[in-house]
Amino acid sequence: MADGSRSRLFEAEDSYEALNELFHERGWTDGLPIMPPTEAAVARMLRATIRRPEETLGVLPPRQGEATVERVAINAVMAGCRPEYLPVLIAAVEAVADPAFNLDGVQATTHPVAPLIIVNGPAARRLQINSGYNCFGQGFRANAAIGRALRLTLMNVGGGLPGAGDRATQGSPAKYAYCIAENEDANPWQPLQVEKGYDRGQSTVTLFGSEGPHNIQEHLSNSGEGILLTIAGAMGQAGSNNILRHGYPLLTLGPEHAATIAADGYSKDDVKRFVWERARYPIDRLSAEFGAELYPFNEGQGGMALICERPEDITVIVAGGSGKHSSWQPTFGHHTRPVTRLIAGDGE
Amino acid sequence: MARLESTARGMPDLRLALTRHPIGGLRPPLVVEKARAMVETVVESIT
């Protein structure tokens, strides 16, 4: 890809408050204060990568902005990233720029879709990206700053501004920051990057265009089958884009649920098939006009609407701490596919 | 959104045919009514 232009410099009053007011007035923030992206701070950030500042990682719609390494680094500074987070962010930007991710649709849609970054491999542990207690929540700098930096990049480079390039009807808190690591130590099966063809020693990001987590609480069943029945019931709900148009839904098992399911002999593929066979919604419980839309996509399924075409279209990861909770992330239907990218410098 | 996209792609003066939101969820006769109202604008835009 051709090199992009270098970023412009702005002179501003040398005051943290004044700089933040300027950034708010110009619409360059997500509503929260930013760290000023001074020349010195951006230069420090850029030292964390061997990529050239003017190198274009991708073109981000709807503005068709060139996401150069330098522009990504600027947004990383603003979000509060430490320099060592930059390679993760670079891989995430490359992933969302992949046509399979369909950033055009993800940015502009009325659906509350947000790019979820899942980090696997040694980088996740080295950077202390939380994969345990409250991994989707607050309290961990790497999760918050990397997720926020991607959002700022999508706004400031891609033009995903609410009401303009981002037409989300209600949006989602996940659109502030949405980044976790997989809890590989608690995963009884292969971690995600190995399933995608990489080695355990390699670090990757996998991006999903998904809604925020939908919790699945299951404190009562003491068997894998029991837990999976509840999970399938939660995932086969009306109103998701996966019921509407299939696609690639994500199931995030809590470690205790994963351990119980695995102890009962289920492989990861077994989990996918079990859920695929049961996460279905009776079309005749929906309006006639909605049903008319669903029937052609679910021929031969006995009047049930599926969440995806095939078991292998479901991704299963393990994340979180102790407790009897899992979650699923409905995705933007068939309009987006998960995309995995290697994090440069980590087992490459 | 349409103007943002056309400008970003180097066509700031691209003629647009606009109809009011929404289309999704409307009963078919209303969609037909909206489509009929747009015909003249579309013809003007491409001829």
Side-chain angles (χ1 to χ4, degrees):
Chain A
M1 187 169 284
D3 285 349
S5 57
R6 296 301 295 266
S7 301
R8 289 164 58 198
L9 276 173
F10 289 84
E11 299 255 346
E13 190 183 330
D14 190 14
S15 131
Y16 181 74
E17 290 77 11
L19 271 170
N20 265 286
E21 287 305 318
L22 174 71
F23 274 65
H24 282 291
E25 284 167 15
R26 297 227 177 198
W28 291 342
T29 88
D30 52 7
L32 293 168
I34 51 93
M35 291 291 288
T38 61
E39 282 184 278
V42 173
R44 276 196 301 276
M45 184 66 67
L46 285 168
R47 283 201 284 274
T49 180
I50 58 169
R51 312 282 288 264
R52 292 174 296 109
E54 62 273 25
E55 184 182 346
T56 299
L57 303 170
V59 175
L60 307 186
R63 187 185 285 154
Q64 310 304 323
E66 291 173 333
T68 61
V69 171
E70 182 182 55
R71 290 186 186 130
V72 171
I74 291 168
N75 284 279
V77 170
M78 290 167 59
C81 286
R82 299 173 68 161
E84 54 264 41
Y85 302 165
L86 184 63
V88 179
L89 183 60
I90 285 173
V93 171
E94 288 178 324
V96 298
D98 187 312
F101 192 77
N102 182 22
L103 189 61
D104 259 305
V106 169
Q107 286 266 70
T109 179
T110 52
H111 182 260
V113 55
L116 165 60
I117 307 170
I118 300 168
V119 185
N120 278 91
R125 294 180 282 281
R126 195 181 66 251
L127 301 176
Q128 298 182 314
I129 301 173
N130 184 22
S131 65
Y133 286 107
N134 204 37
C135 56
F136 286 110
Q138 84 291 359
F140 288 82
R141 179 175 179 179
N143 300 52
I146 294 169
R148 186 187 185 203
L150 179 59
R151 170 54 56 196
L152 289 173
T153 302
L154 294 180
M155 293 177 67
N156 292 328
V157 181
L161 304 177
D166 176 345
R167 296 282 184 160
T169 303
Q170 295 186 326
S172 163
K175 296 182 84 163
Y176 276 99
Y178 204 14
C179 172
I180 66 167
E182 183 170 23
N183 192 337
E184 295 178 29
D185 292 340
N187 187 338
W189 308 293
Q190 284 183 333
L192 182 59
Q193 90 272 38
V194 175
E195 191 179 341
K196 296 284 186 183
Y198 298 94
D199 296 330
R200 280 181 184 271
Q202 292 180 303
S203 299
T204 60
V205 294
T206 301
L207 274 287
F208 280 82
S210 79
E211 296 181 20
H214 291 217
N215 192 58
I216 306 169
Q217 78 83 12
E218 221 313 358
H219 285 75
L220 302 178
S221 297
N222 53 23
S223 69
E225 181 182 14
I227 292 167
L228 286 169
L229 284 171
T230 300
I231 287 170
M235 294 176 72
Q237 63 169 39
S240 77
N241 267 36
N242 297 119
I243 283 285
L244 178 65
R245 283 289 188 276
H246 297 163
Y248 305 87
L250 173 63
L251 169 60
T252 305
L253 290 171
E256 290 186 14
H257 283 169
T260 302
I261 293 165
D264 279 358
Y266 290 89
S267 67
K268 199 194 273 192
D269 286 344
D270 293 336
V271 171
K272 294 179 184 186
R273 176 159 290 281
F274 189 104
V275 170
W276 180 77
E277 288 174 347
R278 293 166 179 80
R280 301 177 178 202
Y281 195 85
I283 298 176
D284 65 6
R285 288 174 62 183
L286 299 166
S287 71
E289 56 269 31
F290 201 147
E293 183 77 14
L294 293 185
Y295 278 117
F297 290 91
N298 296 281
E299 279 184 29
Q301 300 298 337
M304 302 294 281
L306 281 61
I307 60 169
C308 54
E309 289 179 16
R310 306 167 303 170
E312 55 266 37
D313 293 342
I314 300 172
T315 298
V316 177
I317 64 168
V318 177
S322 298
K324 303 293 185 184
H325 295 269
S326 292
S327 64
W328 84 288
Q329 289 68 30
T331 56
F332 186 34
H334 73 310
H335 305 293
T336 183
R337 285 172 174 267
V339 176
T340 300
R341 285 286 181 279
L342 198 63
I343 299 171
D346 271 280
E348 196 174 19
Chain B
M1 173 68 78
R3 185 57 70 206
L4 177 70
E5 288 264 25
S6 73
T7 303
R9 292 175 186 276
M11 297 174 283
D13 301 319
L14 184 73
R15 284 185 283 185
L16 303 177
L18 302 174
T19 187
R20 290 188 69 80
H21 181 82
I23 293 291
L26 289 183
R27 293 178 190 283
L30 285 174
V31 177
V32 171
E33 192 179 304
K34 281 196 165 196
R36 287 207 171 112
M38 292 301 298
V39 169
E40 204 58 36
T41 310
V42 172
V43 170
E44 283 176 14
S45 297
I46 60 177
T47 56

PDB file of all heavy atoms in Angstrom, chain A residues 63-64 104 164 167, chain B residues 1 4-5 8-9:
ATOM      1  N   ARG A  63     -14.731   8.025   5.888  1.00  0.00           N
ATOM      2  CA  ARG A  63     -13.981   9.180   5.396  1.00  0.00           C
ATOM      3  C   ARG A  63     -12.902   8.770   4.418  1.00  0.00           C
ATOM      4  O   ARG A  63     -12.304   9.606   3.759  1.00  0.00           O
ATOM      5  CB  ARG A  63     -13.366   9.927   6.593  1.00  0.00           C
ATOM      6  CG  ARG A  63     -12.707  11.242   6.227  1.00  0.00           C
ATOM      7  CD  ARG A  63     -12.028  11.863   7.446  1.00  0.00           C
ATOM      8  NE  ARG A  63     -12.988  12.442   8.359  1.00  0.00           N
ATOM      9  CZ  ARG A  63     -12.798  12.592   9.665  1.00  0.00           C
ATOM     10  NH1 ARG A  63     -11.680  12.164  10.222  1.00  0.00           N
ATOM     11  NH2 ARG A  63     -13.717  13.141  10.427  1.00  0.00           N
ATOM     12  N   GLN A  64     -12.607   7.490   4.337  1.00  0.00           N
ATOM     13  CA  GLN A  64     -11.499   6.968   3.521  1.00  0.00           C
ATOM     14  C   GLN A  64     -10.175   7.562   3.999  1.00  0.00           C
ATOM     15  O   GLN A  64      -9.316   7.940   3.201  1.00  0.00           O
ATOM     16  CB  GLN A  64     -11.703   7.254   2.021  1.00  0.00           C
ATOM     17  CG  GLN A  64     -13.066   6.851   1.487  1.00  0.00           C
ATOM     18  CD  GLN A  64     -13.392   5.386   1.737  1.00  0.00           C
ATOM     19  OE1 GLN A  64     -12.530   4.533   1.661  1.00  0.00           O
ATOM     20  NE2 GLN A  64     -14.648   5.091   2.068  1.00  0.00           N
ATOM     21  N   ASP A 104     -16.807  -0.487   6.458  1.00  0.00           N
ATOM     22  CA  ASP A 104     -17.825   0.435   5.921  1.00  0.00           C
ATOM     23  C   ASP A 104     -19.134   0.259   6.670  1.00  0.00           C
ATOM     24  O   ASP A 104     -19.738   1.223   7.152  1.00  0.00           O
ATOM     25  CB  ASP A 104     -18.058   0.136   4.429  1.00  0.00           C
ATOM     26  CG  ASP A 104     -17.337   1.124   3.529  1.00  0.00           C
ATOM     27  OD1 ASP A 104     -17.559   2.319   3.702  1.00  0.00           O
ATOM     28  OD2 ASP A 104     -16.561   0.684   2.664  1.00  0.00           O
ATOM     29  N   ALA A 164     -23.026  11.301  12.088  1.00  0.00           N
ATOM     30  CA  ALA A 164     -22.483  11.599  10.753  1.00  0.00           C
ATOM     31  C   ALA A 164     -22.010  10.282  10.122  1.00  0.00           C
ATOM     32  O   ALA A 164     -22.785   9.598   9.467  1.00  0.00           O
ATOM     33  CB  ALA A 164     -21.355  12.607  10.860  1.00  0.00           C
ATOM     34  N   ARG A 167     -23.914   6.011  12.468  1.00  0.00           N
ATOM     35  CA  ARG A 167     -25.361   6.234  12.580  1.00  0.00           C
ATOM     36  C   ARG A 167     -26.016   5.295  13.584  1.00  0.00           C
ATOM     37  O   ARG A 167     -27.200   4.981  13.444  1.00  0.00           O
ATOM     38  CB  ARG A 167     -26.010   6.056  11.211  1.00  0.00           C
ATOM     39  CG  ARG A 167     -25.557   7.083  10.191  1.00  0.00           C
ATOM     40  CD  ARG A 167     -26.249   8.409  10.418  1.00  0.00           C
ATOM     41  NE  ARG A 167     -25.898   9.361   9.382  1.00  0.00           N
ATOM     42  CZ  ARG A 167     -26.610  10.429   9.097  1.00  0.00           C
ATOM     43  NH1 ARG A 167     -27.709  10.694   9.763  1.00  0.00           N
ATOM     44  NH2 ARG A 167     -26.218  11.269   8.153  1.00  0.00           N
TER      45      ARG A 167
ATOM     46  N   MET B   1     -24.388  11.286   5.340  1.00  0.00           N
ATOM     47  CA  MET B   1     -23.539  10.113   5.131  1.00  0.00           C
ATOM     48  C   MET B   1     -23.180   9.958   3.649  1.00  0.00           C
ATOM     49  O   MET B   1     -22.025   9.734   3.302  1.00  0.00           O
ATOM     50  CB  MET B   1     -24.271   8.852   5.628  1.00  0.00           C
ATOM     51  CG  MET B   1     -23.569   7.552   5.324  1.00  0.00           C
ATOM     52  SD  MET B   1     -22.042   7.378   6.234  1.00  0.00           S
ATOM     53  CE  MET B   1     -22.680   6.915   7.828  1.00  0.00           C
ATOM     54  N   LEU B   4     -20.752  12.639   2.731  1.00  0.00           N
ATOM     55  CA  LEU B   4     -19.456  12.327   3.337  1.00  0.00           C
ATOM     56  C   LEU B   4     -18.711  11.299   2.496  1.00  0.00           C
ATOM     57  O   LEU B   4     -17.519  11.450   2.188  1.00  0.00           O
ATOM     58  CB  LEU B   4     -19.663  11.801   4.763  1.00  0.00           C
ATOM     59  CG  LEU B   4     -18.426  11.347   5.533  1.00  0.00           C
ATOM     60  CD1 LEU B   4     -17.552  12.530   5.918  1.00  0.00           C
ATOM     61  CD2 LEU B   4     -18.836  10.584   6.799  1.00  0.00           C
ATOM     62  N   GLU B   5     -19.420  10.257   2.097  1.00  0.00           N
ATOM     63  CA  GLU B   5     -18.797   9.185   1.309  1.00  0.00           C
ATOM     64  C   GLU B   5     -18.399   9.682  -0.086  1.00  0.00           C
ATOM     65  O   GLU B   5     -17.310   9.394  -0.559  1.00  0.00           O
ATOM     66  CB  GLU B   5     -19.768   8.004   1.173  1.00  0.00           C
ATOM     67  CG  GLU B   5     -19.959   7.221   2.455  1.00  0.00           C
ATOM     68  CD  GLU B   5     -19.069   5.999   2.528  1.00  0.00           C
ATOM     69  OE1 GLU B   5     -18.010   5.974   1.883  1.00  0.00           O
ATOM     70  OE2 GLU B   5     -19.449   5.057   3.256  1.00  0.00           O
ATOM     71  N   ALA B   8     -15.398  11.908   0.219  1.00  0.00           N
ATOM     72  CA  ALA B   8     -14.194  11.145   0.543  1.00  0.00           C
ATOM     73  C   ALA B   8     -13.672  10.398  -0.673  1.00  0.00           C
ATOM     74  O   ALA B   8     -12.482  10.127  -0.785  1.00  0.00           O
ATOM     75  CB  ALA B   8     -14.494  10.167   1.676  1.00  0.00           C
ATOM     76  N   ARG B   9     -14.558  10.074  -1.580  1.00  0.00           N
ATOM     77  CA  ARG B   9     -14.149   9.338  -2.781  1.00  0.00           C
ATOM     78  C   ARG B   9     -13.913  10.269  -3.970  1.00  0.00           C
ATOM     79  O   ARG B   9     -13.876   9.827  -5.119  1.00  0.00           O
ATOM     80  CB  ARG B   9     -15.183   8.267  -3.118  1.00  0.00           C
ATOM     81  CG  ARG B   9     -15.214   7.150  -2.076  1.00  0.00           C
ATOM     82  CD  ARG B   9     -16.315   6.159  -2.345  1.00  0.00           C
ATOM     83  NE  ARG B   9     -16.410   5.177  -1.262  1.00  0.00           N
ATOM     84  CZ  ARG B   9     -15.667   4.072  -1.173  1.00  0.00           C
ATOM     85  NH1 ARG B   9     -14.776   3.805  -2.098  1.00  0.00           N
ATOM     86  NH2 ARG B   9     -15.811   3.246  -0.159  1.00  0.00           N
TER      87      ARG B   9
END
